[in-house]
Amino acid sequence: MKTLSEVLAQEDEIVRLDPDHPGFKDPVYRVRRNEIARLALTYREGHPLPRVDYTPEEQAVWALTWERLGPLHETYACREWLESSRVLALDRGRVPDLTGVNVTLSRSGFRMLPVAGLISGRGFLSAMAQGVFLSTQYMRHHSVPFYTPEPDVIHELVGHAASLFHPDIVRLSRLFGEVARGASGEAMKRLELVYWYTLEFGLVEEGGALKTYGAGILSSFGEMERLTTKAQLRPLDFAAASTLPYDPTQYQPVLFVSPSWDRMVGDVSDWLKTI
Ligand SMILES: [Fe+2]
């Protein structure tokens, strides 16, 4: 059997994982990550989207994650995400491909295009001005299905695709994109942080209960299970949210709550107009 360094020496290594990444010591996973990244890098707009043939192990991670997420969504997902998710009706047994998701998503004016991995905040947000959501296609490492330190296909489809079916999220996403295109470096940092604490990790009150609309929470059963017990909850305050650094490799210690969905939508768009 080859050692990790022997396997990787033969690879044109596109994806570099941190030593604390759950897949760092798994040569099969690292080769697979490169394969899927290569598909995205060779994609040219206007051509058919690359199709990933997910392995039985990857399909199992998808199905297992849905088994855990499904009941938690009934308790913690906001009404708007639940409604959108029912319309999008993702296959919970097999990983859907982006082409199929785009057929339904096209009704909202958005489409998902492949990207090899995490890109700059400006690149990611700016694409949304044109109704493009840049989506990864790889699967999180099977040893840590409850959380991912980087956006994977579960995060993109469960968290973002369903959200992007809601007209308010579509409007906010486009607005984030438009502002990002002209933002200075300093404004870009604030924009990324507010995106993180709202569309990725935001909470709203709904009928006296705490619900989430954040893609990062909706796609992580670890985050959802600790939502009401471990995270420090603060009213959404843009001065704080736009300056509070975050660590994507850990559960979020601080989350921001809006008094309602409508207030969240109004407050975030008002703030974006000040940038
Ligand atoms: Fe995300």
Side-chain angles (χ1 to χ4, degrees), residues 155-156 160 200 215:
H155 172 73
E156 314 288 27
H160 288 293
E200 290 287 5

Side-chain angles (χ1 to χ4, degrees), residues 82-119:
L82 283 172
E83 286 166 3
S84 301
S85 175
R86 283 184 197 116
V87 178
L88 187 57
L90 291 173
D91 186 333
R92 300 185 177 197
R94 293 186 66 77
V95 188
D97 66 79
L98 293 189
T99 305
V101 171
N102 280 343
V103 171
T104 317
L105 206 53
S106 63
R107 284 188 253 160
S108 78
F110 250 84
R111 65 200 163 117
M112 300 187 104
L113 294 183
V115 70
L118 206 52
I119 60 166

Side-chain angles (χ1 to χ4, degrees), residues 124 133 151 155-156 160 195-196 199-200 215-216:
F124 170 73
F133 187 93
H155 172 73
E156 314 288 27
H160 288 293
Y195 184 82
W196 180 265
L199 295 192
E200 290 287 5

Side-chain angles (χ1 to χ4, degrees), residues 6 22 37 69-70 80 84 94 104-105 113-114 125 127 132 164 177 184 197 202 248 262 275:
E6 281 167 346
L69 287 175
E80 291 75 6
S84 301
R94 293 186 66 77
T104 317
L105 206 53
L113 294 183
L125 292 177
V132 171
L164 282 170
S184 66
Y197 287 114
D262 288 342
I275 301 295

